Amino acid sequence: MQIHHLPYQDPGVPDVRSGTRFLVWLGRNQLGGQLRSLCWGLLHFAGLAALPLGVGLAVQAVVDRSGSALGWSAALIAALGGAIALGDTMLHRTAVTNWITAAARVQQLLARRTAALGSVLTQRVAAGEVVAVSTGDVEKIGWFVEALSRFVAAALSLVLVCVGLVVYAPALGWVVAAGMPVLALAVLPLLPRATRRADAQREKAGYATELASDTVAGLRVLRGIGGEELFLGRYRAASQEVRTAAVHSARMWALIAAIQVVLPGLMLIAVVLYGAKLAADGRISVGELVAVYSAVALTAYPLRHFEEISMAFSFSRPSAQRAARVLALSRTDPAEAGQQAPKGELYDPVTGLRAPEGLLTAVVCGDPDAAGRLAERLGGHPAGPDKEGDTADKGGTAQSAAEEHASVQLGGVPLDGLPLDLARTAVLVQDKDPVLLSGTLRELLDVPSSGAVEVDEALAAARCGDVLDALAQASPDGGGDPMATRITERGRSLSGGQRQRLALARSLVTDPQVLVLDEPTSAVDSHTEARVAEGVRRLRAGRTTVVLASSPLLLDVADRVVLVHEGRVAAVGTHRALLRDEPRYRAVVTRETDDEKKTDDEDDRESDDEKDSRELVEREEPA
């Protein structure tokens, strides 16, 4: 996998039983990239490991005053230098590729899971943890995947150094071979304590992030009650705890780093002292001493990767555990996977809207944006405060965060509690600007459906006769099958009203249990709109339908009409009754302005005065 192949066509099904298993699954899915990185790493570290041999041969050639041996040594050093440079370049390239692709895979998995969960995610996982998983945790997981191949290459190179020194200079080689495992494993006893401190730091950082997100979400409420300073003090205290925990953790990692520097230094001193004694006794040559010294000096670099992989695993394992916990979430209990869609009324706890089963319910909102948000929520897509704004009643009390994120219920069952496919089958939302994909009309109407509604019936109910005639004339033979006529991208070859009616026909063909229509006839003339309203009422008889509109032609055919005012249900009744008894409803539906309303009130008062005068005259005439 290369970076230009991202995003993945299929990121796969992760192993979320534990953080370690999730990391193993990631590594297994990037096995090719890890092997490439390992090969380049071996070239790089093997070149470094062999470089002291070239230096030792060159020194010995100078001691022996051999020009040819010096030339061969120089050629060997040059070749090793080229191998080191090439291996280092390609190792960095492949390792970073592994990092980016692993992070992209995790982000893609998290994005898909977030889309599938919807608001269930924030109900089951704290907001701060969601932010930490999608940002810092993804980076730490990628870090471990990147460092893994470098560590394996470094460990193999150390084994090669020990074997080579034992063969090249046994007297010193066995000393190095005995001390190398001590150097590599010396930090292991300190890792549990370092991991615990790192976990404590991440926990406090997650709490601080969650506190910050909650403060920002409720900033308007805090300003209203004067609580900014209180929450600012809490966040300041939480951030100081994070700083203290970070310093506490950094001290332990600094100790580990110091051990990785001190122990190789002690090994180098021991090799020099013992090697000098051997050289003085004539048991090894000067060149061999220089080669062994150089090899031990260069082992400090691959040993650094033991520290890095320890840190990477300590930081990435909890991050992988949190990511696995999020990826393991589902909208429902696995035991309920075979459940059927519930039946009953559609209820929105945020607005108090109820759409009884089998009836056509019309909803009137004075704000078109509020109507759009309500339609999304009825489809199982609750909008947070950042999208809806803080909704307040007349007393100025904002809705609670729990209410703003409450799920719409179908038959008493929250839509968030249903499997995604089942929820989408149960409730279908057609927004006010539906999209028509390019293709033939037959392909456009070939959608998953119950099979109870034929295409011809849906087209007739949506009054698409003129659309079919126009498509027939636009067909290749100038009068052929309109179903075979291609529709351009987003339906640009059609008028706004034609697009709306075709989209309505598509929704009617689907025949969902609950159909939510947001201004389905806003671009249609009044005559056609009246016919469409009757067609939808007839075709959807016995099924639950919710229409968000303000057109009297649509409202008059509804079984019940609900007025939503300032985010809450304000009145319920029939269109004619609300028009007569509810001034707010009348103002929205008839577009009555304040001046017109004032004029009407004055006319009513004048009519009452004339009536009183007439009655007075009638009483005085007999006298």
Side-chain angles (χ1 to χ4, degrees):
M1 174 61 68
Q2 298 296 323
I3 294 177
H4 65 269
H5 293 151
L6 298 175
Y8 295 96
Q9 290 292 335
D10 180 14
V13 180
D15 187 344
V16 295
R17 288 176 292 177
S18 67
T20 303
R21 290 179 181 271
F22 182 62
L23 291 175
V24 171
W25 177 84
L26 276 178
R28 190 169 63 246
N29 278 272
Q30 292 187 213
L31 190 58
Q34 292 289 348
L35 290 176
R36 284 192 294 271
S37 184
L38 175 60
C39 291
W40 290 115
L42 285 175
L43 177 62
H44 173 61
F45 287 112
L48 284 173
L51 188 60
L53 176 62
V55 174
L57 293 176
V59 171
Q60 191 62 41
V62 172
V63 173
D64 298 339
R65 300 182 180 274
S66 173
S68 60
L70 183 60
W72 283 110
S73 301
L76 177 60
I77 292 175
L80 291 174
I84 292 171
L86 177 62
D88 190 21
T89 301
M90 296 307 298
L91 172 61
H92 178 74
R93 179 184 179 89
T94 53
V96 172
T97 299
N98 288 334
W99 183 357
I100 294 176
T101 51
R105 186 188 296 274
V106 177
Q107 286 178 329
Q108 199 169 344
L109 289 170
L110 289 171
R112 291 191 176 190
R113 180 55 53 187
T114 301
L117 291 172
S119 62
V120 173
L121 179 62
T122 53
Q123 293 173 7
R124 299 183 183 178
V125 181
E129 186 168 350
V130 174
V131 174
V133 169
S134 58
T135 54
D137 287 338
V138 169
E139 182 178 355
K140 292 180 177 67
I141 293 171
W143 177 29
F144 174 76
V145 174
E146 176 214 9
L148 182 60
S149 56
R150 287 206 309 268
F151 162 72
V152 175
L156 291 177
S157 68
L158 288 176
V159 173
L160 292 176
V161 167
C162 292
V163 173
L165 290 180
V166 169
V167 174
Y168 179 70
L172 279 178
W174 284 111
V175 175
V176 176
M180 197 61 66
V182 177
L183 299 182
L185 304 177
V187 298
L188 286 182
L190 300 177
L191 289 180
R193 183 178 299 178
T195 302
R196 288 194 298 270
R197 294 188 180 186
D199 288 342
Q201 176 194 349
R202 283 188 293 270
E203 182 180 353
K204 294 181 181 299
Y207 171 73
T209 303
E210 182 179 354
L211 183 62
S213 62
D214 290 344
T215 302
V216 172
L219 187 59
R220 185 176 299 179
V221 178
L222 292 177
R223 288 175 175 173
I225 63 176
E228 302 105 306
E229 290 299 326
L230 174 62
F231 274 79
L232 181 60
R234 291 181 180 177
Y235 180 74
R236 185 182 293 112
S239 64
Q240 289 301 314
E241 290 182 2
V242 173
R243 184 190 66 81
T244 302
V247 172
H248 200 51
S249 176
R251 287 174 178 169
M252 182 56 65
W253 290 111
L255 176 60
I256 292 175
I259 292 175
Q260 291 289 331
V261 173
V262 171
L263 291 184
L266 295 176
M267 168 72 78
L268 190 60
I269 293 173
V271 167
V272 170
L273 293 176
Y274 185 59
K277 182 178 182 300
L278 293 177
D281 295 340
R283 297 172 59 182
I284 61 172
S285 65
V286 175
E288 290 175 336
L289 176 60
V290 173
V292 174
Y293 169 79
S294 302
V296 174
L298 288 176
T299 56
Y301 175 58
L303 281 172
R304 285 283 186 177
H305 290 80
F306 282 79
E307 175 194 351
E308 181 188 17
I309 197 64
S310 301
M311 292 183 64
F313 182 74
S314 297
F315 280 94
S316 65
R317 185 183 56 79
S319 297
Q321 181 63 45
R322 283 194 292 269
R325 186 163 57 246
V326 173
L327 294 174
L329 295 176
S330 61
R331 292 170 63 91
T332 59
D333 190 316
E336 302 175 356
Q339 71 183 84
Q340 299 294 321
K343 296 182 179 181
E345 71 172 3
L346 188 69
Y347 170 62
D348 176 27
V350 175
T351 60
L353 171 66
R354 296 181 182 273
E357 181 182 9
L359 298 183
L360 173 59
T361 302
V363 181
V364 176
C365 294
D367 182 6
D369 293 334
R373 293 193 295 268
L374 177 58
E376 291 181 4
R377 195 163 55 247
L378 292 177
H381 302 281
D386 57 337
K387 185 174 181 180
E388 285 189 347
D390 292 326
T391 305
D393 57 21
K394 290 183 180 180
T397 304
Q399 290 176 318
S400 65
E403 184 177 294
E404 288 175 343
H405 290 84
S407 173
V408 169
Q409 300 175 10
L410 178 61
V413 178
L415 288 181
D416 284 344
L418 296 175
L420 186 61
D421 293 341
L422 189 60
R424 296 293 174 266
T425 303
V427 182
L428 175 66
V429 178
Q430 176 183 307
D431 60 26
K432 65 181 65 177
D433 187 20
V435 175
L436 301 183
L437 302 179
S438 60
T440 65
L441 181 58
R442 182 175 290 106
E443 293 171 343
L444 174 69
L445 299 177
D446 184 16
V447 293
S449 65
S450 66
V453 178
E454 299 293 335
V455 171
D456 293 340
E457 294 177 324
L459 290 171
R463 295 299 184 264
C464 296
D466 62 319
V467 184
L468 296 178
D469 294 339
L471 291 176
Q473 294 178 3
S475 62
D477 55 2
D481 183 9
M483 301 297 292
T485 304
R486 292 194 64 81
I487 298 175
T488 58
E489 182 184 2
R490 300 183 67 88
R492 290 191 176 93
S493 58
L494 304 172
S495 67
Q498 291 174 331
R499 286 196 299 270
Q500 274 192 337
R501 283 177 285 161
L502 284 181
L504 177 59
R506 179 178 60 188
S507 300
L508 294 174
V509 167
T510 303
D511 189 39
Q513 182 176 327
V514 179
L515 177 61
V516 180
L517 304 172
D518 185 9
E519 295 287 355
T521 58
S522 59
V524 178
D525 61 84
S526 300
H527 177 69
T528 305
E529 185 178 29
R531 298 172 62 197
V532 169
E534 288 294 340
V536 171
R537 176 184 173 84
R538 184 179 64 256
L539 190 62
R540 292 287 300 174
R543 301 177 182 87
T544 306
T545 307
V546 180
V547 181
L548 291 95
S550 58
S551 169
L553 296 174
L554 283 173
L555 300 174
D556 197 36
V557 302
D559 296 310
R560 63 199 303 269
V561 180
V562 179
L563 172 65
V564 176
H565 181 68
E566 294 184 353
R568 300 293 298 180
V569 171
V572 180
T574 63
H575 167 63
R576 298 178 186 272
L578 292 176
L579 198 62
R580 182 185 64 248
D581 302 331
E582 180 56 59
R584 293 172 295 185
Y585 178 81
R586 184 167 59 247
V588 175
V589 173
T590 64
R591 274 66 169 182
E592 184 181 49
T593 63
D594 292 339
D595 292 340
E596 291 172 342
K597 184 177 180 181
K598 182 178 179 180
T599 301
D600 292 340
D601 293 340
E602 291 176 352
D603 292 341
D604 292 340
R605 286 196 298 270
E606 290 177 359
S607 299
D608 293 340
D609 292 342
E610 292 175 358
K611 182 178 179 181
D612 294 340
S613 299
R614 192 164 52 250
E615 292 176 351
L616 180 60
V617 171
E618 291 174 354
R619 287 197 301 269
E620 292 177 350
E621 281 181 352

